[in-house]
Amino acid sequence: MNTLYLALTIVGLFITIFLNKSGQREIGLIVAGFTGGFAFLAAFEDTGYPLPLIFVGGFIATVFFEYIRFKPRLRGD
């Protein structure tokens, strides 16, 4: 496991939590996507798939699930 990807995931997690708590959920959603991409890279780096594909898969999955989670709050907050 690459420690750089793990460190970027942890830092991104703290930034995402801060942004979501401070009411900047749209930016927090994008940062959460990057965090999910780095988490997928840390977990699936040695699978043989291309690294950009792994990152994009993690980014899209995280943004999708976070959007569903915050959907009622994004519109009426």
Side-chain angles (χ1 to χ4, degrees):
M1 176 187 318
N2 192 335
T3 56
L4 176 65
Y5 298 146
L6 184 62
L8 288 172
T9 300
I10 292 169
V11 169
L13 181 66
F14 287 127
I15 293 172
T16 302
I17 291 170
F18 172 76
L19 290 172
N20 287 335
K21 293 289 183 183
S22 65
Q24 300 175 352
R25 292 194 178 100
E26 292 85 5
I27 298 171
L29 185 68
I30 300 302
V31 174
F34 280 102
T35 303
F38 290 127
F40 267 51
L41 281 174
F44 301 114
E45 177 184 26
D46 298 330
T47 59
Y49 290 106
L51 295 181
L53 182 65
I54 295 171
F55 181 82
V56 169
F59 184 92
I60 291 172
T62 305
V63 168
F64 176 72
F65 288 118
E66 287 291 317
Y67 178 75
I68 288 174
R69 190 175 83 151
F70 286 127
K71 188 175 179 182
R73 295 188 214 160
L74 283 175
R75 292 184 184 165
D77 203 20

